[in-house]
Amino acid sequence: LQLCYCFIAIANERINLYGVQFHPEVDLTPNGKQMLKNFLFEVCGLSGNFTMQSREMECVEYIAKKVGSSKVLMLVSGGVDSTVCAALLHKALKPDQVIAFHIDNGFMRKDESEAVEKSLNNVGLKLRVVNSAYQFYNASTTIAVDKKDPNRKRTTKILCQTVHPEEKRAIIGDTFIRISNDIVNELNLKPEEVFLGQGTLRPDLIESASKLASSSADAIKTHHNDTELVRKLRDEGRVVEPLADFHKDEVRALGRDLGLPAELVERHPFPGPGLAVRVICAEEPFIEKDFSETSVLVKVIVNYANNLKKHALLNRVHSATTEEERQFLMSFSTKCKLNTSLLPIKSVGVQGDCRSYSHVLGLSSEEEPADWEGLKELAKIIPRICHNINRVCYIFGGPVNYPILDVTPTHLTPNVLSTLREADSIAQTILHTSGYFSKLAQMPVILIPIHFDRDVVTRQPSCQRSVVIRTFITEDFMTGIPAIPNKHLPLDVIKRMVKEIQAVPGISRVLYDLTPKPPGTTEWE
C-alpha cells in the first residue's frame, strides 16, 4: 500500500511566516488554543490586555457612532444573540431610539412568543409582538437562477409549498425584512433614517459565506440574517451588527457582564426561521444513482467482521480507514449486530469545509445498544467512507427489516408544524425537569417524512412521520459532538423522551442523531 503524505503546516522562521491546513480555533482540535496562543504571543508579540469589558465598550462606541441620532428597529427572537444585541442598543442609545419587535412567524415553539415577551419585559427590554404567521406561510421571494449569473432571477413557490431548505431560509429572511419595512411605515418613519439591528455572529457569516467573513468560502447554509435583501441593506450602511465578530461563548459572557439573567443568557439557541428548518420537507424520495450501492456498502461496514476477504466493496472501506479504525470495526461488528436503513431524504452537512446535501443512515437492532461510545465512533467513520452520507442515527423501536424507499409528502402546513411543536415541547420539558438542560449546548428536535413499519404486503401508503432528537455539545458552535447516552445524558431520560414522543398522533418512530459536527451541522437544514 503506497503511503500518501500531505502537509498540514508550513513555517518560514526567517520571514516569520506560519500557516496551518486545519482549524486550530475549533474545540475539537487538540491543543488548538495553545497553537493560537503561541502564534499571538510568541510569534506576533501581542499582549493579552484586551478584555471582554474592552469589547463591550467597543460595541457601545460602534453603535453610538453608527446610529447617531437615528432610530434602530431591532427584531428580537428571544435568543441570547438578539437579546444581548438589544441590551447593547439600550445601553448605547436613548430609549426612544430603540424600537424592539418580536415577530411571531408561525414557526415558534409551543408558547414561545408569550415567554419571550414576558422574560424581556422583566429585564426592562420593552418589545411589541407582531403575529405574522399568515404572511410567512404565503410568502415567496426571488433568488438567482445561477450563482454565476446573479442578475438572472426566478420567483420561488410560496413558503408552505417549498421543500428546498435554502429557498425556505431565503424566503423567511426576506419576509422578515419586508415586515420590518411595514413596521417602519406604520410608525411614520423614513426608511432611510432607520437602521436594522441584528444579533449576527461570526459563525453565521462564515457559514453563509458572507464577504464580511471570507471572500472565497463555500456557503454551508443561508442564515436568515444574511440573505440577499440583508446584504443589500448592509451595502447601503443601514444594518447595525455589534456582535458580528463574536462567537456564542463570548456573547454569553458579554450578556452576563451586561447584567442579563441566567435564564436568558444560558438559553439554548433557537434559529431565526424556527421550526421551519426543523421540518424536512419532501414531495418525493431522494434516491441518487448510487443509492443501492451505498445501501450495500453500509451493510459491509457495520458487518465488517463477517465480510472480510469476500466482498468487492471492502477496498472502499480499507482506502478510507486506518488500521486502528479497521480493528475497531472488527471488534464492534463482532459484538453488536445492527440493521442498516439508508433513508431517502437529504440533510445538510459539512465535508471538506464545503456544504454537502446528502443521505441519512439509520441503524437499528433487536436488542438495545450497550456500547453507545462504539456507535458514536461508527457514526464518525461511516461518512468518511460514504461521502454521500451526512448523518448516522439510531432508530429506537426494534430492527427495521425492510428498505425505506418512499416518503410522506411534507410541507410547512399548520398540521405538520403542530405535530413537531408537540414533540419538541415534550422533549424540551423532559430535558428541563431532568436537570440536564445545562449539560447540552442545544437540542433540536426534527420532523422527517419517514414512515417505518408499514405493511409491505398490502403496500400501505406512507402517511406517518418520524422524529429525530439531535443533542449537541459544544463551546464554539463551529464543531461539536452528540451527547452520548449514559455518559453526557442518562439513557433513561432519552428513553422517556422516545416513549412520550412516540405517543404523539402521526409519529412512526423516534431516532437519535449520533453525528458529530462535522460532517453533520447542528441543524438538519
Side-chain angles (χ1 to χ4, degrees):
L1 183 68
Q2 186 176 2
L3 293 176
C4 178
Y5 295 97
C6 60
F7 295 102
I8 61 169
I10 60 170
N12 186 324
E13 294 185 353
R14 184 176 59 82
I15 60 174
N16 223 27
L17 179 68
Y18 299 85
V20 293
Q21 186 77 350
F22 56 92
H23 290 275
E25 76 278 9
V26 300
D27 287 347
L28 295 186
T29 300
N31 300 313
K33 286 185 171 59
Q34 186 62 46
M35 294 178 203
L36 290 174
K37 184 178 180 181
N38 292 344
F39 176 74
L40 293 171
F41 297 135
E42 296 182 23
V43 176
C44 299
L46 299 178
S47 59
N49 60 353
F50 194 63
T51 63
M52 192 57 71
Q53 286 74 25
S54 305
R55 298 189 74 182
E56 179 185 330
M57 289 172 56
E58 199 174 64
C59 289
V60 170
E61 289 170 3
Y62 156 79
I63 293 168
K65 183 178 179 181
K66 178 96 175 178
V67 176
S69 59
S70 299
K71 295 183 184 293
V72 180
L73 177 65
M74 180 69 208
L75 302 183
V76 184
S77 68
V80 63
D81 306 337
S82 61
T83 301
V84 170
C85 184
L88 283 170
L89 291 171
H90 275 275
K91 184 168 184 175
L93 304 171
K94 296 176 182 177
D96 64 348
Q97 286 183 271
V98 183
I99 309 164
F101 276 83
H102 170 78
I103 297 176
D104 184 346
N105 55 14
F107 308 122
M108 303 301 289
R109 284 173 165 158
K110 195 173 186 178
D111 303 324
E112 180 90 352
S113 291
E114 295 86 346
V116 167
E117 183 179 19
K118 182 179 178 180
S119 61
L120 292 181
N121 284 341
N122 286 343
V123 295
L125 299 178
K126 303 298 180 184
L127 79 161
R128 179 178 146 196
V129 177
V130 179
N131 190 329
S132 302
Y134 180 82
Q135 290 98 311
F136 276 89
Y137 291 156
N138 294 282
S140 62
T141 192
T142 56
I143 59 174
V145 174
D146 186 346
K147 288 183 179 179
K148 295 179 181 177
D149 185 9
N151 294 320
R152 288 181 60 216
K153 305 282 188 181
R154 69 173 176 85
T155 302
T156 65
K157 293 180 179 180
I158 60 175
L159 184 56
C160 63
Q161 297 175 358
T162 300
V163 297
H164 196 284
E166 285 295 284
E167 292 185 16
K168 284 160 63 175
R169 286 177 173 272
I171 293 168
I172 291 168
D174 288 350
T175 304
F176 271 123
I177 299 300
R178 294 191 190 102
I179 292 174
S180 300
N181 291 335
D182 291 343
I183 292 170
V184 169
N185 290 331
E186 285 177 17
L187 296 173
N188 295 317
L189 299 171
K190 295 180 180 178
E192 64 273 13
E193 295 178 0
V194 179
F195 288 85
L196 175 67
Q198 292 200 143
T200 312
L201 305 192
R202 194 70 177 174
D204 300 343
L205 298 172
I206 293 170
E207 290 185 338
S208 292
S210 169
K211 66 182 181 182
L212 295 180
S214 172
S215 59
S216 58
D218 189 72
I220 306 303
K221 58 185 175 183
T222 299
H223 281 262
H224 73 286
N225 50 16
D226 194 35
T227 65
E228 187 173 331
L229 285 183
V230 174
R231 291 181 178 185
K232 184 173 182 291
L233 288 175
R234 278 203 197 102
D235 291 341
E236 295 170 359
R238 290 176 52 202
V239 181
V240 182
E241 297 171 300
L243 304 176
D245 282 329
F246 283 70
H247 287 253
K248 185 73 71 176
D249 55 330
E250 298 171 316
V251 174
R252 286 201 166 110
L254 180 56
R256 285 189 285 269
D257 289 347
L258 287 167
L260 294 176
E263 63 266 22
L264 286 177
V265 173
E266 300 302 329
R267 286 191 71 189
H268 284 184
F270 187 63
L275 298 179
V277 293
R278 292 183 177 176
V279 176
I280 305 301
C281 297
E283 294 171 342
E284 57 186 19
F286 172 62
I287 298 178
E288 298 282 77
K289 61 183 179 181
D290 55 359
F291 186 90
S292 296
E293 182 179 295
T294 304
S295 297
V296 175
L297 180 55
V298 292
K299 284 179 169 61
V300 171
I301 296 168
V302 301
N303 296 300
Y304 183 76
N306 298 325
N307 287 296
L308 279 181
K309 300 181 181 177
K310 62 180 181 182
H311 206 289
L313 290 174
L314 274 174
N315 65 316
R316 293 269 301 274
V317 180
H318 293 161
S319 64
T321 54
T322 65
E323 179 62 34
E324 184 180 354
E325 288 168 337
R326 292 191 288 277
Q327 288 294 330
F328 161 77
L329 290 175
M330 172 74 78
S331 170
F332 187 77
S333 59
T334 300
K335 65 182 180 182
C336 189
K337 304 304 178 186
L338 295 169
N339 288 17
T340 60
S341 303
L342 191 62
L343 304 183
I345 58 174
K346 295 183 280 189
S347 82
V348 172
V350 185
Q351 298 201 24
D353 276 351
C354 296
R355 177 175 63 194
S356 58
Y357 196 35
S358 296
H359 287 290
V360 176
L361 176 66
L363 304 175
S364 58
S365 58
E366 189 74 52
E367 297 179 358
E368 190 176 279
D371 185 2
W372 287 95
E373 281 282 2
L375 280 174
K376 183 197 79 169
E377 188 64 27
L378 189 64
K380 283 172 57 180
I381 294 172
I382 288 173
R384 216 164 57 240
I385 300 170
C386 310
H387 289 172
N388 57 346
I389 292 177
N390 272 339
R391 294 181 192 274
V392 180
C393 301
Y394 182 76
I395 307 168
F396 284 95
V400 178
N401 294 315
Y402 299 104
I404 309 295
L405 299 175
D406 55 3
V407 297
T408 300
T410 301
H411 296 92
L412 293 176
T413 59
N415 285 342
V416 168
L417 289 161
S418 65
T419 299
L420 175 56
R421 196 171 280 121
E422 185 61 28
D424 175 80
S425 176
I426 289 169
Q428 302 298 337
T429 300
I430 291 173
L431 183 64
H432 274 277
T433 57
S434 71
Y436 281 84
F437 178 84
S438 62
K439 303 294 183 183
L440 304 182
Q442 203 166 350
M443 192 180 74
V445 176
I446 301 99
L447 191 71
I448 62 173
I450 298 295
H451 185 173
F452 295 96
D453 309 313
R454 289 179 295 129
D455 190 327
V456 294
V457 177
T458 60
R459 300 181 67 83
Q460 178 190 359
S462 180
C463 58
Q464 295 187 344
R465 300 174 179 87
S466 295
V467 164
V468 182
I469 299 170
R470 166 55 159 169
T471 56
F472 196 61
I473 298 174
T474 184
E475 288 291 336
D476 58 21
F477 282 86
M478 296 297 290
T479 59
I481 60 171
I484 306 304
N486 285 337
K487 179 180 179 182
H488 305 113
L489 189 63
L491 180 58
D492 286 347
V493 173
I494 298 169
K495 288 170 70 174
R496 186 179 159 206
M497 293 180 191
V498 171
K499 182 180 178 181
E500 294 194 22
I501 291 172
Q502 192 82 56
V504 175
I507 297 301
S508 172
R509 290 220 196 182
V510 180
L511 295 76
Y512 191 80
D513 193 343
L514 295 160
T515 322
K517 179 183 180 181
T521 49
T522 312
E523 302 286 349
W524 274 47
E525 285 193 346

